[in-house]
Amino acid sequence: MESSTADDVAEELAPALEVSGTEPAVPAGRTPVGRGWWAGMAVAVLLVLTAIALTVVVAVQNGLVAGRDTDRAAVSDVARQAVQNLVTIDGQNSQGNIDALLGLSTGEFRDQLTKVSGAFRAILQQGAVKSAGTIGSAGVETLDGDRATVLVTANTVVSNTEIPHGAQRNYRMVVELQRQDGQWMASSVEVAP
């Protein structure tokens, strides 16, 4: 009798097993979607999101590098011009020389130039000073936010009333720069030891 009881129970459970079996009921004309399909879709979405994130990171880094390269070029150009203005002077145009240098300067350096400009102009005129300078090379030593240091080499031929035929001079200059209102300005120019 026990076997008939087991058969009876199996017959009673058969309809329930068919409905909740391992195969989902799929309407006619459709293919079943399994766990593998969902896992594949999740991996694909994850790969797309990763690609987007990497693209954004690379774009930002390229922008930072481009901006840094632009700053390096700008500080180098201003330093070169400041040194050029210092080593190319003419006693006949002393005020123009001073004004050009003041136009690129800021801070204490500008204050000092302004303070001594009258005496400097008089010395240039009285001594008939002329200096024709050329810039050899310039290299950015540091660039940190709104401050930079550039090393510049210059060669000049200086003539005056005591050296009418001129004398060759070579300089290595250290130019400190500061960004003000979006423009780089020389805050210090010194002859390197």
Side-chain angles (χ1 to χ4, degrees):
M1 289 228 177
E2 274 183 28
S3 65
S4 66
T5 308
D7 288 336
D8 292 339
V9 172
E11 283 180 30
E12 287 180 31
L13 292 176
L17 289 175
E18 287 177 15
V19 173
S20 64
T22 57
E23 294 286 324
V26 177
R30 292 207 149 178
T31 51
V33 177
R35 288 186 187 139
W37 184 87
W38 286 109
M41 185 56 94
V43 169
V45 168
L46 184 61
L47 287 174
V48 168
L49 292 176
T50 302
I52 291 170
L54 288 174
T55 301
V56 169
V57 167
V58 168
V60 167
Q61 286 179 343
N62 284 343
L64 293 175
V65 168
R68 190 140 173 100
D69 287 346
T70 300
D71 280 346
R72 290 179 78 77
V75 297
S76 180
D77 289 346
V78 171
R80 291 170 72 88
Q81 188 60 54
V83 171
Q84 181 71 43
N85 291 351
L86 272 174
V87 299
T88 303
I89 53 178
D90 183 352
Q92 300 300 316
N93 184 27
S94 57
Q95 188 60 51
N97 295 140
I98 291 167
D99 290 344
L101 194 53
L102 285 171
L104 293 174
S105 63
T106 189
E108 189 176 322
F109 180 59
R110 182 180 176 82
D111 294 343
Q112 289 174 348
L113 285 172
T114 302
K115 188 176 181 179
V116 300
S117 65
F120 184 59
R121 192 172 59 246
I123 291 169
L124 292 177
Q125 290 172 347
Q126 289 171 359
V129 176
K130 284 190 178 184
S131 174
T134 57
I135 302 301
S137 61
V140 178
E141 182 179 38
T142 62
L143 176 58
D144 186 22
D146 290 339
R147 297 200 176 272
T149 303
V150 180
L151 307 175
V152 181
T153 62
N155 303 309
T156 64
V157 176
V158 180
S159 64
N160 56 34
T161 54
E162 293 180 15
I163 310 170
H165 300 295
Q168 178 80 30
R169 302 278 190 264
N170 300 314
Y171 299 101
R172 292 179 303 157
M173 309 285 249
V174 178
V175 183
E176 301 286 333
L177 297 110
Q178 182 176 338
R179 186 178 3 220
Q180 288 185 326
D181 300 324
Q183 292 210 316
W184 288 99
M185 308 290 277
S187 59
S188 171
V189 179
E190 297 178 2
V191 176

